[in-house]
Amino acid sequence: MQLYVFLIITILLIVKPTVNALFIKGLGADNLAFGYLLIAATAIVTSYFYNQAVRRYSLRRIIIVSLVFFALAFILLCILYKVNAIGGAVLYTFYVISGIFAVLTTSQFWLLANMVFNAREAKRLFGFIGSGAIAGGIFGGYLTTLLVPLIGNGNMLLVAALFIIACIPLLSLIYKKGYVSRGSVSIGSQKILGDTAFKILLKSKHLTFLALIIGLGVIVAKLVDYQFSDFASKAIPDADQLASFFGFWFSTFNLVSLGIQLFLTNRVVEKLGVNSSLLILPLGIALGSLLFLTFPELWVLIIIKGLDGSLKQSVNKAATELAMVPVSLEVKNRTKSFIDVVVDSVATGIAGCLLIFVIKGLSLSSNYVTVIILFLILVWIVGIFKVRESYFKSFRQSLKQAVQVSGGTKRKRKSPLEIGRRILSEGDPDQIANYLDHLNPRNAKILKDKIIPLLEHDNDAVKIAAINQLYHYPEGTALEAVRNMVHLKDDDVVFAAMNYLILHTSLNDSRIFDSYLNHSSDYIAHAALLCLAKESQRNKKIAARYNLELRIELWLAELELPDSDHRPEELAFLLKSIGYAKIPQFYSFISANFNNRNPLIVSQAIIAAGISKEPMFIDALIEFITVKQYRKDAIAALIDYGEAISEILLAREAEKRIRNSAKKYIPTVIQTFETQASVRILLRLLQSRDNLIRRASAKSLYKLKGKNPKLNFFPKTVFRQLLHFTFEYRDIVSSKKVIRNNFKAEAYKRLPEDDHTELIQAREGLLEVLDRQLKLRVETIFQMLAVYYDRKDLDVAYKGFLSEDRDTRANAIEFLDNILSPKLKHSLLPLLELAIIEDADVYHEILEDDDISFNKALIKLIEVGDGNLRLPVIYLIQFLGDTSFLPLLAELKITAKNRDVRSFASLALKKLQPSLIETQKHS
């Protein structure tokens, strides 16, 4: 790729000064403006045919045909020059051809480069590749300077044609090696294929603004070029000397540009970003133009032309090409050549019109061109700020589309109400009940005509869900239908109906309890008792009036009778009644049923414990979180304790009284309260050494921000934690590389065979643990980034990073490059880039300190790891037979807070101490 662009720019620097010198000598500098106009008109006409060709043929075929055409054209010009048949028409024709060559071939090359490299590779390599272009400019310019006096302008055109032919086998080699293998990502591909390049450009704000600043850059460059050429032609009348002058300075400008490209471009773009880098060229020319207004001399124009020539092909070129990164290759293939050729040429024509108006129309000095340049630069800078905004939006949209394509195109979703009506009319009982349980009050009122009839549904769960929605309607709605449900043979339906009658009707509480507490039906009597217990929470007098404590005591006594036979549902009601009654003497019944053989009763005991809010049940509920069958009920029960449970859980975690399997669910409980205190406690949990707690806390903060973004999430604290997590992630990545690559099994041959085998297996197991840890830590980092930055942007970036498509992952990292602060960008992005880099040299460059020893890598993992990471490290250490680890293990045995870590350290010490004795014997 670098050699290919070297040849293209070499050809350009041979053709441009040669044709320019012939044109100016034959027609004069004043006619350059007409040449600009002809280039613009020709570009517009040929763009139509080029656009048709892009639709029908591959880029490879189009490039080859273009190269052959230009080679033949320059050979023809060489022949005409030798036979002295160059008139005005011929000069205009070949001036236009050389102008089209300059923009078309370079545009085709950069389009090819975009097909070869992804976003991150482009940012890393475009500077290096661009140095090839600048080197070609230097070589071509100096070659022209040296050869023109020896062989003349005509033969230089023949040399250019030979170089063009040499590009064709290089292009074939690039394709043959399989470098050009990138496909484009776009959802609306068929629509795009049907539009012209101009329409596609107008539909994209980013492309429109980008075309605007490119066009303005061309106009300014042409005006600067005119001033430079005009002053030079007046100072140097001889055509060959003028060609040498142009060749020398063009090469010198490229030499300066090469220095900038090699030593500054990557650093400038990395430091300032793509968009800010675009400002350097217009600001530089503006300062030079102001100087020219003070000193209107050739040396000032050399400086201005130098700024244009050096910065345009280095920093500005790299930034402009990177600004195209968010555009899909499909769109880029259709529009890049249009922008580079048509927009460039039209801008050249506009520059010609300005020159004709200024010089011919008003007979003004070319010094006045400087005023026009300054005005255009002002508009140019405004355009760059517009590009900055559209660049980010375009990148986000492009990445979002890429994620959708890789994950499958989503169908158009129907409105929630439309879905709700269909479920309530046609869904099965489980679907209906689940939908009603999650229905919000607003939609419940809208769907009232669909919900009321469900009170007559055959399924009891649907009836209960429908009753629960009646609270959103005026008091007493569907009173008779609900009253009739009290006599059904289902405990939950009877309770739901009775509870509604008490809470949401004008019926007197006493009337209901008088009718139902002593009812002959167990379904009704037990439901009435549960309602009484629930009502007693807000009305203590009613509990005393109806002897709630005595009724519960009698019910418990009845259960102890030898011939007692009660349904599980009755026992569940009794447990809940005790929970609502909050009478401590009955709490032992809840505790006893934690061990019931019936899972339904255990679940109800857990629920009852939560209802009671009794501190004695908290530890048991935390334990139940570890059991999948009861986890949901246990979490809900802890939430029932209210916000005070947050501090209690935080204290339990600090005391290491929570099992690893339960830790990750603790933040879920705290998050539920959605208060400022929840944020503070979650941030404190985020400082835990335990990776599971961190991940769960980050996830809860992420969800909390989505539900209540107005809360203060303490950005400074989050940022500090992000940096801390990033440095730990780096240490683990570096240590993993050492453990994977620097382990020499033969160095441990002295070990017993069993220990050697265990060592090999322990190392493989540790590498697997490290892979899992890194994956979890990346997820945690992205969730914290979503808390610190815009949540939607980070969601898109994370999905892109997880994509199976390597290019999409690269674009996700580049997208982050435009979001993150410099400090975080410098620390985090190189680590994320390791996931998509296959080049070992780049890998080593990112991990500059990866030359640590195997033992130091293990020690580093002990320092930064949690209990889950320390355990496999300690397990591996015990089989190394290396007594230098004894002090570290002794310290862990005493100071480690994790009980398993202390136990593993103790076992490792016992394993290594005999090795120490053996070593002392030998010494």
Side-chain angles (χ1 to χ4, degrees):
M1 292 296 291
Q2 190 182 47
L3 179 58
Y4 182 87
V5 75
F6 172 84
L7 286 176
I8 290 294
I9 303 303
T10 296
I11 297 161
L12 178 60
L13 266 292
I14 293 172
V15 170
K16 186 174 181 180
T18 302
V19 174
N20 278 8
L22 291 174
F23 186 91
I24 293 171
K25 186 63 179 176
L27 299 174
D30 289 346
N31 286 308
L32 283 173
F34 295 106
Y36 296 164
L37 289 173
L38 275 174
I39 290 175
T42 304
I44 292 172
V45 173
T46 56
S47 69
Y48 172 78
F49 298 102
Y50 188 85
N51 198 34
Q52 295 299 318
V54 168
R55 294 185 183 188
R56 296 184 181 183
Y57 305 111
S58 66
L59 179 64
R60 178 183 182 182
R61 187 171 182 179
I62 292 170
I63 293 175
I64 291 173
V65 171
S66 301
L67 292 174
V68 171
F69 169 78
F70 288 120
L72 293 175
F74 294 136
I75 290 172
L76 178 60
L77 180 58
C78 173
I79 296 170
L80 292 173
Y81 180 83
K82 285 184 178 295
V83 299
N84 200 23
I86 296 183
V90 173
L91 286 174
Y92 274 117
T93 300
F94 284 95
Y95 186 81
V96 169
I97 290 175
S98 66
I100 297 295
F101 171 82
V103 291
L104 181 60
T105 53
T106 52
S107 174
Q108 289 174 337
F109 167 76
W110 286 111
L111 180 57
L112 183 66
N114 273 277
M115 295 175 69
V116 174
F117 304 111
N118 62 39
R120 297 302 290 177
E121 291 169 338
K123 199 164 192 178
R124 194 170 62 251
L125 298 175
F126 274 11
F128 174 72
I129 293 170
S131 66
I134 297 169
I138 296 169
F139 177 75
Y142 285 123
L143 185 67
T144 302
T145 304
L146 293 172
L147 292 184
V148 165
L150 299 176
I151 63 176
N153 285 331
N155 289 325
M156 286 306 298
L157 294 169
L158 184 61
V159 173
L162 292 174
F163 279 143
I164 290 174
I165 298 300
C167 289
I168 296 175
L170 267 180
L171 178 68
S172 299
L173 183 63
I174 292 169
Y175 273 89
K176 186 177 180 180
K177 291 288 185 180
Y179 298 133
V180 186
S181 58
R182 314 183 83 74
S184 58
V185 178
S186 178
I187 291 177
S189 59
Q190 297 302 319
K191 293 182 179 179
I192 289 171
L193 288 174
D195 289 335
T196 63
F198 182 66
K199 286 184 179 179
I200 296 171
L201 189 145
L202 290 180
K203 287 181 179 179
S204 169
K205 284 187 177 181
H206 181 59
L207 287 176
T208 302
F209 290 130
L210 193 57
L212 174 66
I213 66 169
I214 289 173
L216 288 168
V218 169
I219 294 173
V220 170
K222 292 300 179 184
L223 295 179
V224 169
D225 189 53
Y226 169 78
Q227 288 182 306
F228 180 66
S229 299
D230 182 49
F231 271 69
S233 64
K234 290 175 182 177
I236 307 171
D238 183 73
D240 287 344
Q241 290 182 4
L242 186 60
S244 296
F245 173 84
F246 285 150
F248 171 79
W249 280 112
F250 288 159
S251 296
T252 302
F253 297 153
N254 277 285
L255 188 62
V256 174
S257 183
L258 179 62
I260 294 173
Q261 189 78 353
L262 290 175
F263 303 108
L264 293 177
T265 296
N266 284 344
R267 294 180 182 180
V268 169
V269 175
E270 184 84 17
K271 186 75 174 177
L272 300 181
V274 172
N275 302 300
S276 296
S277 299
L278 289 170
L279 288 168
I280 296 175
L281 177 58
L283 290 176
I285 296 175
L287 291 174
S289 297
L290 291 172
L291 181 64
F292 182 74
L293 289 176
T294 308
F295 303 101
E297 299 177 12
L298 180 60
W299 67 268
V300 180
L301 286 173
I302 291 175
I303 293 174
I304 297 173
K305 183 64 180 174
L307 287 170
D308 178 62
S310 57
L311 293 175
K312 187 175 183 179
Q313 296 303 324
S314 55
V315 175
N316 196 71
K317 186 63 177 177
T320 302
E321 293 302 327
L322 287 170
M324 290 287 287
V325 166
V327 183
S328 69
L329 287 173
E330 183 176 65
V331 175
K332 203 177 298 181
N333 190 33
R334 296 289 305 281
T335 57
K336 181 160 176 56
S337 294
F338 181 86
I339 292 172
D340 290 341
V341 178
V342 177
V343 173
D344 187 293
S345 301
V346 169
T348 301
I350 293 172
C353 289
L354 289 173
L355 290 175
I356 292 170
F357 172 76
V358 172
I359 295 175
K360 301 290 185 180
L362 300 179
S363 299
L364 298 176
S365 168
S366 62
N367 292 357
Y368 285 90
V369 175
T370 305
V371 178
I372 300 175
I373 289 174
L374 288 171
F375 172 75
L376 291 173
I377 286 175
L378 178 62
V379 181
W380 186 358
I381 292 172
V382 173
I384 289 172
F385 281 101
K386 291 291 184 180
V387 166
R388 174 180 293 182
E389 181 182 344
S390 64
Y391 174 79
F392 182 76
K393 290 181 179 178
S394 182
F395 218 139
R396 177 172 52 197
Q397 184 62 27
S398 177
L399 187 58
K400 191 180 296 184
Q401 289 180 349
V403 171
Q404 288 177 2
V405 168
S406 62
T409 304
K410 295 182 179 180
R411 295 181 179 179
K412 186 178 179 181
R413 294 185 62 184
K414 297 180 179 179
S415 70
L417 287 174
E418 190 177 347
I419 294 172
R421 288 191 176 92
R422 182 178 57 79
I423 291 174
L424 296 178
S425 300
E426 305 171 10
D428 61 45
D430 289 338
Q431 289 177 325
I432 296 172
N434 184 63
Y435 178 77
L436 290 175
D437 288 341
H438 295 87
L439 191 61
N440 62 54
R442 178 179 174 274
N443 288 345
K445 293 176 181 177
I446 296 173
L447 295 172
K448 180 179 178 181
D449 61 322
K450 293 285 185 181
I451 294 174
I452 298 297
L454 293 176
L455 295 170
E456 307 295 332
H457 200 280
D458 295 335
N459 185 274
D460 291 332
V462 173
K463 289 177 181 175
I464 295 170
I467 292 172
N468 292 334
Q469 294 302 318
L470 297 180
Y471 294 94
H472 302 306
Y473 308 140
E475 186 178 287
T477 300
L479 178 60
E480 287 304 316
V482 176
R483 197 200 301 266
N484 293 333
M485 290 184 188
V486 173
H487 301 282
L488 296 178
K489 299 295 183 181
D490 183 277
D491 296 272
D492 292 325
V493 173
V494 173
F495 171 72
M498 196 174 296
N499 200 50
Y500 174 75
L501 294 176
I502 294 172
L503 298 178
H504 205 65
T505 69
S506 57
L507 297 177
N508 185 275
D509 292 347
S510 300
R511 179 181 170 188
I512 294 174
F513 290 127
D514 288 339
S515 303
Y516 297 137
L517 275 173
N518 298 315
H519 202 280
S520 58
S521 170
D522 289 339
Y523 291 94
I524 296 176
H526 294 155
L529 181 61
L530 179 54
C531 286
L532 176 63
K534 190 175 181 181
E535 185 69 10
S536 68
Q537 289 189 112
R538 58 175 185 161
N539 187 352
K540 299 297 182 184
K541 292 182 179 179
I542 200 170
R545 185 192 310 167
Y546 290 100
N547 299 311
L548 175 60
E549 182 177 346
L550 178 60
R551 289 177 183 275
I552 293 175
E553 192 172 341
L554 290 173
W555 195 352
L556 288 170
E558 185 180 343
L559 290 175
E560 295 176 358
L561 295 175
D563 58 346
S564 175
D565 183 21
H566 292 270
R567 293 175 292 107
E569 290 79 8
E570 291 182 70
L571 192 55
F573 272 31
L574 177 57
L575 286 165
K576 288 181 181 178
S577 298
I578 292 172
Y580 283 121
K582 291 183 170 54
I583 302 175
Q585 69 189 65
F586 300 133
Y587 286 161
S588 59
F589 184 73
I590 294 177
S591 299
N593 280 284
F594 285 155
N595 300 312
N596 198 292
R597 296 178 183 178
N598 189 335
L600 173 65
I601 301 303
V602 176
S603 292
Q604 296 302 313
I606 292 170
I607 293 170
I611 293 170
S612 72
K613 299 181 178 61
E614 173 58 39
M616 65 178 286
F617 296 129
I618 291 175
D619 289 327
L621 293 176
I622 293 173
E623 283 297 310
F624 275 119
I625 293 178
T626 64
V627 183
K628 186 177 180 180
Q629 184 177 7
Y630 305 121
R631 184 172 298 143
K632 187 176 179 180
D633 291 328
I635 291 174
L638 287 170
I639 291 171
D640 284 339
Y641 277 77
E643 211 170 335
I645 194 65
S646 300
E647 292 289 351
I648 297 172
L649 293 175
L650 185 65
R652 294 286 200 280
E653 196 280 324
E655 296 165 3
K656 302 298 177 186
R657 290 171 58 183
I658 301 177
R659 288 192 196 182
N660 283 343
S661 53
K663 286 179 179 179
K664 60 182 178 180
Y665 301 103
I666 299 304
T668 304
V669 176
I670 298 169
Q671 163 212 327
T672 309
F673 303 113
E674 299 181 14
T675 63
Q676 195 61 59
S678 302
V679 175
R680 289 193 182 93
I681 293 172
L682 287 171
L683 287 172
R684 284 160 65 186
L685 284 174
L686 200 66
Q687 297 171 14
S688 169
R689 190 186 190 93
D690 193 291
N691 196 39
L692 293 174
I693 286 284
R694 285 183 183 178
R695 181 193 176 209
S697 300
K699 189 174 182 180
S700 291
L701 283 167
Y702 167 83
K703 290 182 177 178
L704 197 54
K705 186 180 181 182
K707 292 181 179 179
N708 196 349
K710 293 183 179 180
L711 292 173
N712 180 8
F713 286 86
F714 302 97
K716 289 184 179 179
T717 302
V718 172
F719 187 80
R720 284 196 300 269
Q721 286 299 114
L722 272 169
L723 284 177
H724 178 63
F725 292 168
T726 299
F727 294 145
E728 282 191 353
Y729 184 85
R730 179 188 174 86
D731 288 339
I732 293 174
V733 170
S734 180
S735 298
K736 177 193 166 187
K737 184 174 184 290
V738 172
I739 292 168
R740 185 181 61 197
N741 297 337
N742 295 9
F743 178 75
K744 298 177 181 177
E746 60 272 10
Y748 300 96
K749 287 292 185 182
R750 59 181 174 76
L751 295 174
E753 184 177 348
D754 290 346
D755 284 0
H756 189 269
T757 302
E758 286 289 342
L759 176 61
I760 301 298
Q761 293 177 350
R763 173 179 165 272
E764 295 299 323
L766 175 58
L767 288 173
E768 290 178 6
V769 171
L770 289 174
D771 284 336
R772 290 196 297 270
Q773 281 265 335
L774 289 173
K775 185 178 179 181
L776 292 177
R777 286 171 186 265
V778 164
E779 183 183 346
T780 301
I781 288 171
F782 267 99
Q783 285 170 340
M784 291 308 298
L785 286 172
V787 174
Y788 188 75
Y789 294 101
D790 185 88
R791 190 170 181 263
K792 291 181 180 179
D793 288 342
L794 266 296
D795 284 347
V796 173
Y798 186 50
K799 288 177 182 177
F801 182 76
L802 295 179
S803 171
E804 295 180 2
D805 180 70
R806 186 165 172 264
D807 293 343
T808 303
R809 296 203 303 272
N811 287 337
I813 295 173
E814 184 63 25
F815 181 60
L816 284 174
D817 200 349
N818 292 278
I819 297 175
L820 304 185
S821 65
K823 192 172 184 179
L824 198 54
K825 183 193 306 183
H826 177 75
S827 304
L828 178 60
L829 286 192
L831 299 175
L832 296 180
E833 200 165 3
L834 290 176
I836 62 171
I837 286 178
E838 298 172 357
D839 190 331
D841 293 334
V842 178
Y843 200 103
H844 180 74
E845 181 183 337
I846 291 175
L847 296 177
E848 297 172 352
D849 59 345
D850 66 346
D851 56 347
I852 61 174
S853 67
F854 187 82
N855 284 6
K856 285 185 178 179
L858 295 177
I859 293 171
K860 185 179 285 187
L861 291 178
I862 290 287
E863 291 172 351
V864 303
D866 60 355
N868 293 318
L869 182 54
R870 285 178 164 188
L871 294 179
V873 175
I874 296 171
Y875 183 75
L876 184 147
I877 286 173
Q878 69 179 321
F879 296 109
L880 290 174
D882 191 335
T883 55
S884 63
F885 286 104
L886 287 173
L888 174 64
L889 294 172
E891 183 182 354
L892 288 174
K893 180 183 176 182
I894 298 171
T895 62
K897 294 182 179 180
N898 187 293
R899 183 172 53 192
D900 292 333
V901 171
R902 294 197 301 270
S903 176
F904 267 54
S906 178
L907 292 173
L909 279 170
K910 292 178 182 178
K911 179 76 176 175
L912 286 177
Q913 279 171 345
S915 299
L916 177 62
I917 296 171
E918 190 68 25
T919 303
Q920 290 172 346
K921 284 181 180 179
H922 287 298
S923 61

